[in-house]
Amino acid sequence: MLHVVRHCSSRLILPQAKLLLCNNTRHSFLRSNNIHRQLFQNAWRKSPLSNRIKNLKLFQSIGTVTVRLSAENASATKYKKAVGYWLLSCSGMVFVAVVLGGVTRLTESGLSMVTWKLLGEKMPRSEEEWVLEFQRYQQFPEFKIKNRDMTLSEFKRIWYMEYAHRMWGRAIGAVFLFPATFFWARGALTRPMKLRVLGFGALIAAQGLMGWYMVKSGLEDRFHGESDVPRVSQYRLAAHLSLAFVLYTLFLWSSLDHLLPAETLSNVSQQTIKAARKFRMLAHGCKGMVFFTAVTGAFIAGLDAGLVYNSFPKMADKWIPDDILAYKPVLSNFTENPTTVQFTHRVLGSTTLTLITTLWLLSRRRTLPPRAYFAANALGAMVWVQVTLGIFTLLLYVPTPLAASHQSGSLTLLSIAVWLTHELKRLPKI
């Protein structure tokens, strides 16, 4: 696309071009300068651009009118697929980071590393370095209260798990930063995409800092009660997981913009469009419910609430347990009482199941873009898989492989919900 802009300059080297594209409404000043009539003559299109500019004597005013190619748009089009695959790779790496984080929490490895450095901690190389690292760990509450009988070999296993999780997070930063710098320098990013890239960078930095802030809560000397168990703050854990989910969702959405642009509906009635737009609102609601239910799952993990009331559908032969509001003030039960947190997670999970099943049934009766049907079918199937995983995780007292699958399933379910809402973003306006 060629842009016409005004510069206060006396000289300019004009790029070669075969055709000048001009929008009548945006560039009305051309008509006022008696240029519009000559602009679209055949002679203009056949003659070199520089010669025609000379004939029009555009340089006789105090300013200079410049016609130039929009290289930015051309570069963005050229690199569109490459940018899309880069964003998709980043989202995939965030997905793996969430899985690693879940396994780290389930294996109680998160507090094994008691220091944090921006560019990474040095891995112990010798037996003496391992002993020194183990001695650091022994100074903190988890060892003193819970792991006093831990051996050095056992410590190495949990240390490696936390180390892998941290280094994977740093790898995400590198995979994001270096291609982002390249694409920015090449002009491959549009202005809206540049703003997104800056947001991605801020979220990655915030995620890393929140991770260490979460770990610090488990290293503090605040576990003095007889029943206290050293663990990270459930609030910080939920914030850490929420940031990961938000970052993943934004990466995935942006990659779909580049690789799988949404389709639209054509030649349909206003009533059909109205029904499809209502369906889209419900799809966004289901997506929000999936996210919110996953956040309550972080409180489940932070409080080990999956180890209480390991029965379903009732809780100790009751639909509503007696200690559901045992804490004071009452609102603290929803984030600090393991019974209430598990009850809330059950209710939200059941509600999400009902909403998505309803959404799937409605998709059979609505006119939607073609790929939206596949997304709705996948979402309807995945929600039943996820609920089944959750029930068996509870009944079997939270085995690590099953619990990790349940957490991964929540992100998979969110991914499909994002895909569905993305397919519906281009619906015509009423």
Side-chain angles (χ1 to χ4, degrees):
M1 179 67 185
L2 293 177
H3 293 288
V4 180
V5 293
R6 180 175 293 274
H7 294 280
C8 292
S9 168
S10 59
R11 297 182 59 188
L12 183 72
I13 300 176
L14 295 174
Q16 292 296 323
K18 294 183 179 179
L19 179 64
L20 177 66
L21 302 178
C22 178
N23 183 287
N24 294 346
T25 57
R26 294 183 59 185
H27 303 293
S28 58
F29 70 89
L30 292 176
R31 292 194 300 270
S32 64
N33 288 336
N34 202 24
I35 300 175
H36 181 268
R37 184 174 60 257
Q38 302 180 50
L39 197 61
F40 292 94
Q41 294 176 355
N42 292 331
W44 172 275
R45 292 191 175 94
K46 294 179 181 178
S47 62
L49 178 63
S50 56
N51 293 339
R52 197 61 187 172
I53 292 293
K54 292 177 181 178
N55 293 338
L56 293 176
K57 300 179 180 181
L58 293 177
F59 300 138
Q60 292 184 357
S61 62
I62 58 173
T64 303
V65 175
T66 310
V67 184
R68 64 184 180 183
L69 287 168
S70 176
E72 178 180 338
N73 290 345
S75 297
T77 303
K78 176 182 177 181
Y79 288 99
K80 183 176 181 179
K81 291 291 184 182
V83 171
Y85 286 121
W86 163 59
L87 294 170
L88 188 62
S89 299
C90 290
S91 68
M93 292 188 71
V94 175
F95 189 105
V96 174
V98 172
V99 175
L100 283 175
V103 175
T104 299
R105 177 70 189 91
L106 291 165
T107 56
E108 299 180 340
S109 306
L111 299 178
S112 57
M113 298 180 68
V114 297
T115 58
W116 185 83
K117 296 180 180 178
L118 179 62
L119 300 180
E121 296 77 7
K122 179 183 177 183
M123 180 182 291
R125 300 290 183 181
S126 63
E127 193 69 13
E128 291 76 13
E129 290 180 348
W130 274 113
V131 171
L132 181 61
E133 188 71 23
F134 190 30
Q135 289 175 348
R136 292 196 192 99
Y137 173 70
Q138 292 172 351
Q139 300 173 15
F140 291 89
E142 185 174 67
F143 177 82
K144 294 179 180 179
I145 299 174
K146 188 177 179 181
N147 293 334
R148 294 185 65 86
D149 298 328
M150 176 176 281
T151 63
L152 181 60
S153 61
E154 292 172 336
F155 170 73
K156 287 182 180 180
R157 283 197 294 270
I158 64 172
W159 194 93
Y160 278 128
M161 179 59 67
E162 173 65 8
Y163 182 77
H165 182 51
R166 293 193 185 189
M167 294 308 295
W168 187 261
R170 293 183 175 94
I172 293 174
V175 170
F176 168 77
L177 180 61
F178 294 116
T181 304
F182 171 81
F183 288 131
W184 194 300
R186 288 283 183 173
L189 305 176
T190 62
R191 180 167 297 182
M193 195 61 223
K194 287 180 179 179
L195 295 177
R196 290 192 192 184
V197 166
L198 292 176
F200 293 149
L203 280 173
I204 290 174
Q207 176 71 344
L209 294 174
M210 178 55 70
W212 172 240
Y213 184 58
M214 175 190 68
V215 170
K216 281 188 65 178
S217 66
L219 302 175
E220 297 169 353
D221 187 20
R222 59 185 179 89
F223 308 98
H224 304 296
E226 294 182 2
S227 59
D228 283 352
V229 178
R231 58 166 67 100
V232 299
S233 164
Q234 69 271 25
Y235 299 102
R236 300 183 192 183
L237 176 61
H240 188 51
L241 183 68
S242 299
L243 281 174
F245 272 47
V246 170
L247 180 62
Y248 171 79
T249 299
L250 294 177
F251 269 136
L252 180 60
W253 183 278
S254 297
S255 67
L256 291 175
D257 283 342
H258 288 75
L259 300 176
L260 201 65
E263 299 172 330
T264 187
L265 296 175
S266 58
N267 300 323
V268 293
S269 65
Q270 291 291 318
Q271 185 177 0
T272 300
I273 296 174
K274 185 176 181 181
R277 292 176 69 87
K278 288 183 177 179
F279 180 87
R280 182 175 63 181
M281 291 176 61
L282 180 58
H284 280 293
C286 291
K287 181 175 65 176
M289 285 297 298
V290 172
F291 179 86
F292 190 42
T293 305
V295 172
T296 62
F299 284 93
I300 291 277
L303 295 171
D304 290 328
L307 299 176
V308 299
Y309 295 105
N310 297 93
S311 59
F312 190 87
K314 294 184 178 181
M315 301 174 71
D317 296 326
K318 295 184 178 181
W319 291 107
I320 301 178
D322 296 331
D323 57 340
I324 193 171
L325 296 177
Y327 289 16
K328 302 296 181 182
V330 174
L331 289 178
S332 66
N333 287 278
F334 293 95
T335 55
E336 298 179 9
N337 186 343
T339 299
T340 312
V341 169
Q342 188 191 118
F343 179 81
T344 303
H345 191 64
R346 291 184 183 216
V347 171
L348 288 174
S350 301
T351 304
T352 303
L353 175 66
T354 303
L355 286 174
I356 292 179
T357 302
T358 303
L359 183 78
W360 176 77
L361 291 173
L362 286 174
S363 71
R364 318 307 298 171
R365 303 180 179 182
R366 297 290 183 269
T367 301
L368 305 172
R371 289 194 302 262
Y373 292 109
F374 294 102
N377 290 337
L379 187 65
M382 187 61 210
V383 71
W384 284 94
V385 173
Q386 175 66 356
V387 170
T388 302
L389 285 172
I391 292 172
F392 278 99
T393 300
L394 181 69
L395 296 178
L396 298 177
Y397 292 86
V398 197
T400 298
L402 201 55
S405 299
H406 183 53
Q407 179 169 319
S408 303
S410 67
L411 198 51
T412 302
L413 187 64
L414 181 62
S415 304
I416 301 173
V418 169
W419 175 32
L420 175 59
T421 53
H422 187 272
E423 290 297 336
L424 300 171
K425 66 180 291 189
R426 298 296 184 189
L427 293 178
K429 295 182 180 180
I430 300 176

